[in-house]
Amino acid sequence: MTFPMSRGVFSCPEDAPRISAAWQAVLRGAAPPRDLLRHPVDDSWRRCLHGRVDPGLQHAPEPLTDAQLFAARQRHRRLLDSSAPALAMAEELMAQSGAMLILADGEGMILEARGDAATLGRAEHIHLMPGSPWGEQVCGTNAIGTTLLLGHPVQIHAAEHFCEGIQRWTCSATVIHDPRDGQILGVIDVSGESRTFSRHTLALAETTAQRIESALAKQEMASRFRLLEASIEHLAADRGEGVMLFDPHGFLLRSNARLPAALAAQGIVLEPGQSCRLAGLALGADGRPAGPLPPGLSAAWLQPIWAGGEVLGTLVRIPLPARTGRPLVLPSPGAEDEVGFARLVGDSPALAAALHKARQLATARVPILLQGETGVGKEAFAQGIHYSGVGRDGPFVAINCGSLSRDLLASELFGYAEGAFTGARRGGMKGKIEAAQGGTLFLDEIGEMPLELQSHLLRVLEEGELFRLGESEPRKVDFRLVAATHRDLRQEVAKQRFREDLFYRVAVTQIRIPPLRERKEDIALLARHILQRQAGRHGRPLPELAPEVVAALAGHDWPGNVRELRNVLEGMLLLGGPRLTGEDLPDELRPLGGADAAVEGLLDESERQVICQAIERSRGNLTQAAKALGIAKSTLYLRLRKYGLSRGSGAAAD
């Protein structure tokens, strides 16, 4: 942003003797002379006097320690990355010029200093160096601190500095504005000893600031493009909800046509537009919204948008009731995006034992091997371990080792350097292992990993470092490994299809996830849960499950486990009516010869057992039992009379 060079912006070196005399008079108690000092300097001196800044100050406060400076630079990584090319260009212009270029943050803390080597050395005597604060309230009138208060370019020369130790310096500075909202991000300053004074240094500062603002704008556009690209499916899907997409800073990027109605239905007062910003949705260092949220906006409606192990923004889904007909039964807020243990429904002893072990191991940073058949929910277990244990604030990165070719899996896991192979992305690519830094890497179907890649993975686990393809320097990595397989890895080791040393490394602890046929008491509850989620997803009313359907589901072996059950119920929901009966079952689940008395008897007995189990789990509460079975309470009473059951333990009623 260019600021017009109005009168009073530039210093006049020929006035230096008179300004020095005026400064001496001020020290003796006189007021600053308005007819001599430029307005920016006059106002600054008065602020310094009011704030009791020490005019005899010889240098800025002691700089930060290396660790503190590193932390400060990490907080301002966006500004530093965008400034690097402009600083490098300006540095070439200043070599052996007797001047130095300084980048400071929005509080006046110096983050970077470059330029003439001799000048950099002399600047350290007044602590004009990275890690030192140069706010006006700390160091008196100076270009860095004063331009922050004014918000526009300023030159401060020699005796115009309020503090004595800085008066042999000259400096020109201007602010750097955030292209998103115009807020001040930092300062560019050109400094040197007073003999190097030039009006052109202020132009150099402005030009450099403009280049940095341009780089910030390009970076912001690229970031928003990535977020939109990662969110396109969510924005295109029509789930009967109002949708808003926010960037990491809490700015609204997109919304759908249903949003106004959804906001009104929930009683949320919000005016979405291009300038809409919710500070509570700005992401903190942990990748989570900082909060608090506006009144009426539930945290359960928030969904982080991930890409490459990084949170790019936040999607907000606001439920919208149907206007006519039977009300849609929408999933509970965020149900479509349940992660981890929340996706595992059931209270059978087999599932409870596996969950108990998983929760125990989640608190320890050790590799975990999940064993179970296809479709049992291994990734849901892995997510549960991640989100409830150590590293939960880091990313959860998953990759299926059996779905990619050897070469593609190698590049996806380890990443590659620029030019590592034909078609390699410019600048190279970070692999899934690096993307999981500080979090969890989930290697699904690890038993399918080619042998030649297993040795590379073993080195990563043992040494805590990896080599990108085409690179010779290792990169340090720190993550928790959760692996999964449907194979018996011990047999794979015996057949020399899996490395024995890798097996002992990934299987430090093991959890067996039970197949659905070993937890049939969970099927009725699980079926209702799946139907509720699918009904909300497809905008359908939640159907009632006839008892014969519950019995048929409980009597099936489910070789595809929960995934197969979900597919069956989704098909029934889309093709059936408000009540799903035996006629809606797929052929493989229908009893043969429906009129056959023996088959009907087996079906009745299966249904009787399911009802007994539901009543036992609800401790005789028929309302809860009917809800778990997915039937009306009146229907449950009819079945109780049919089978001669009571609300007690399931024994025959007297």
Side-chain angles (χ1 to χ4, degrees):
M1 179 182 296
T2 302
F3 187 88
M5 293 300 186
S6 60
R7 184 179 178 185
V9 172
F10 294 111
S11 298
C12 297
E14 58 270 21
D15 291 338
R18 288 183 295 164
I19 294 173
S20 180
W23 180 76
Q24 294 288 344
V26 167
L27 295 188
R28 294 191 296 269
R34 292 188 181 275
D35 58 340
L36 175 62
L37 299 177
R38 294 178 296 131
H39 290 303
V41 178
D42 178 64
D43 292 343
S44 177
W45 279 21
R46 293 177 188 276
R47 287 192 298 269
C48 293
L49 288 170
H50 184 266
R52 297 185 178 181
V53 177
D54 179 10
L57 190 72
Q58 296 299 307
H59 52 70
E62 290 293 322
L64 301 175
T65 64
D66 289 345
Q68 291 170 329
L69 178 59
F70 176 80
R73 290 170 59 86
Q74 289 299 108
R75 289 195 300 271
H76 297 286
R77 180 51 53 193
R78 173 173 169 254
L79 175 60
L80 285 164
D81 289 346
S82 298
S83 302
L87 293 179
M89 184 179 298
E91 185 177 21
E92 291 182 7
L93 297 174
M94 305 176 71
Q96 299 180 347
S97 68
M100 58 190 289
L101 188 70
I102 292 170
L103 173 69
D105 67 14
E107 301 296 325
M109 176 70 68
I110 297 179
L111 300 174
E112 189 81 72
R114 300 187 186 184
D116 181 75
T119 305
L120 289 169
R122 287 190 288 270
E124 291 185 2
H125 296 301
I126 61 170
H127 295 168
L128 190 63
M129 57 191 292
S132 291
W134 278 79
E136 189 183 84
Q137 71 280 8
V138 176
C139 295
T141 307
N142 73 92
I144 294 174
T146 303
T147 198
L148 279 172
L149 289 174
L150 297 178
H152 62 70
V154 68
Q155 264 190 331
I156 304 295
H157 176 67
E160 290 180 329
H161 290 92
F162 186 76
C163 296
E164 182 180 17
I166 312 168
Q167 290 183 347
R168 63 185 184 89
W169 287 78
T170 185
C171 46
S172 305
T174 191
V175 292
I176 301 167
H177 290 96
D178 192 327
R180 296 187 306 253
D181 55 11
Q183 296 295 312
I184 293 176
L185 284 180
V187 173
I188 280 291
D189 170 83
V190 180
S191 289
E193 292 184 301
S194 57
R195 58 182 173 79
T196 66
F197 172 83
S198 170
R199 287 193 171 194
H200 297 302
T201 57
L202 191 55
L204 175 60
E206 278 210 285
T207 301
T208 305
Q210 289 170 13
R211 286 181 176 141
I212 294 171
E213 289 174 0
S214 177
L216 284 166
K218 290 179 181 178
Q219 183 189 69
E220 187 65 24
M221 290 300 295
S223 176
R224 291 188 173 196
F225 179 78
R226 287 181 64 207
L227 175 56
L228 289 169
E229 190 177 37
S231 310
I232 191 68
E233 291 184 7
H234 300 287
L235 294 169
D238 188 353
R239 298 172 176 170
E241 303 166 311
V243 176
M244 295 185 289
L245 179 65
F246 290 87
D247 72 7
H249 316 288
F251 287 93
L252 178 66
L253 294 188
R254 290 287 187 276
S255 61
N256 68 352
R258 295 181 183 269
L259 179 61
L263 291 172
Q266 298 291 345
I268 301 173
V269 179
L270 187 65
E271 295 184 7
Q274 290 186 346
S275 60
C276 178
R277 182 176 188 255
L278 299 184
L281 288 179
L283 302 181
D286 58 357
R288 297 179 179 180
L293 301 177
L297 193 64
S298 171
W301 298 340
L302 309 185
Q303 174 191 349
I305 300 297
W306 290 82
E310 175 187 2
V311 182
L312 301 181
T314 304
L315 195 74
V316 180
R317 290 175 169 165
I318 304 177
L320 177 66
R323 294 181 179 178
T324 59
R326 183 177 176 181
L328 295 180
V329 180
L330 295 172
S332 58
E336 277 295 315
D337 308 299
E338 287 176 345
V339 294
F341 296 140
R343 292 169 54 188
L344 300 166
V345 177
D347 53 10
S348 63
L351 180 64
L355 283 172
H356 177 70
K357 189 172 183 180
R359 288 190 173 99
Q360 282 185 308
L361 293 176
T363 60
R365 201 175 184 84
V366 295
I368 299 173
L369 178 65
L370 304 176
Q371 296 176 302
E373 298 176 3
T374 299
V376 295
K378 295 189 286 291
E379 183 164 353
F381 262 83
Q383 288 183 353
I385 291 168
H386 170 72
Y387 288 111
S388 62
V390 295
R392 59 181 173 271
D393 294 331
F396 176 85
V397 180
I399 185 171
N400 190 313
C401 300
S403 63
L404 302 173
S405 66
R406 180 192 63 187
D407 293 340
L408 186 55
L409 179 60
S411 63
E412 283 291 308
L413 272 178
F414 303 102
Y416 55 79
E418 180 175 347
F421 50 85
T422 302
R425 184 184 302 175
R426 184 177 180 182
M429 187 189 78
K430 178 192 295 185
K432 299 294 187 185
I433 296 176
E434 281 186 81
Q437 180 71 20
T440 299
L441 176 67
F442 175 54
L443 295 182
D444 198 7
E445 299 302 345
I446 193 173
E448 312 297 322
M449 180 179 288
L451 271 171
E452 53 266 41
L453 295 187
Q454 293 178 23
S455 59
H456 295 292
L457 176 61
L458 180 63
R459 175 181 174 81
V460 172
L461 297 177
E462 290 186 338
E463 304 296 333
E465 61 183 29
L466 62 76
F467 291 85
R468 286 188 183 180
L469 302 182
E471 282 188 348
S472 58
E473 291 296 324
R475 296 170 180 261
K476 290 293 182 182
V477 289
D478 181 25
F479 60 93
R480 187 239 286 277
L481 176 68
V482 178
T485 182
H486 72 281
R487 297 179 179 274
D488 184 335
L489 288 189
R490 291 186 182 275
Q491 289 187 8
E492 295 299 298
V493 169
K495 295 176 182 178
Q496 297 185 345
R497 291 198 293 248
F498 199 84
R499 291 180 62 111
E500 184 175 17
D501 46 6
L502 180 59
F503 169 74
Y504 289 117
R505 199 69 179 80
V506 302
V508 175
T509 55
Q510 303 177 48
I511 300 174
R512 179 183 177 272
I513 304 174
L516 198 52
R517 63 180 173 275
E518 293 181 13
R519 40 183 292 233
K520 290 193 173 183
E521 58 267 48
D522 289 337
I523 288 179
L525 184 63
L526 186 57
R528 179 176 176 82
H529 176 79
I530 291 172
L531 275 178
Q532 188 172 18
R533 291 183 61 189
Q534 296 299 332
R537 177 184 177 190
H538 295 290
R540 297 293 185 92
L542 179 64
E544 180 183 347
L545 279 177
E548 65 266 24
V549 173
V550 177
L553 296 178
H556 187 58
D557 275 346
W558 300 109
N561 294 291
V562 179
R563 184 180 295 119
E564 182 187 1
L565 175 62
R566 182 178 63 244
N567 293 341
V568 166
L569 289 170
E570 185 173 17
M572 293 174 67
L573 170 75
L574 296 175
L575 298 174
R579 188 171 190 269
L580 301 180
T581 67
E583 294 299 317
D584 298 304
L585 288 165
D587 292 342
E588 64 270 19
L589 267 71
R590 291 185 185 182
L592 298 174
D596 187 278
V599 174
E600 286 185 357
L602 289 173
L603 185 60
D604 285 347
E605 178 58 28
S606 178
E607 182 181 50
R608 183 183 186 279
Q609 291 179 5
V610 170
I611 291 174
C612 287
Q613 291 168 354
I615 294 174
E616 288 177 2
R617 286 200 303 271
S618 65
R619 299 182 180 179
N621 186 317
L622 298 186
T623 300
Q624 292 182 8
K627 184 177 180 181
L629 291 167
I631 60 177
K633 190 175 179 181
S634 58
T635 303
L636 178 58
Y637 277 119
L638 291 175
R639 297 299 170 178
L640 291 177
R641 285 198 292 271
K642 175 181 177 180
Y643 298 122
L645 300 175
S646 69
R647 69 171 65 207
S649 61
D654 293 334

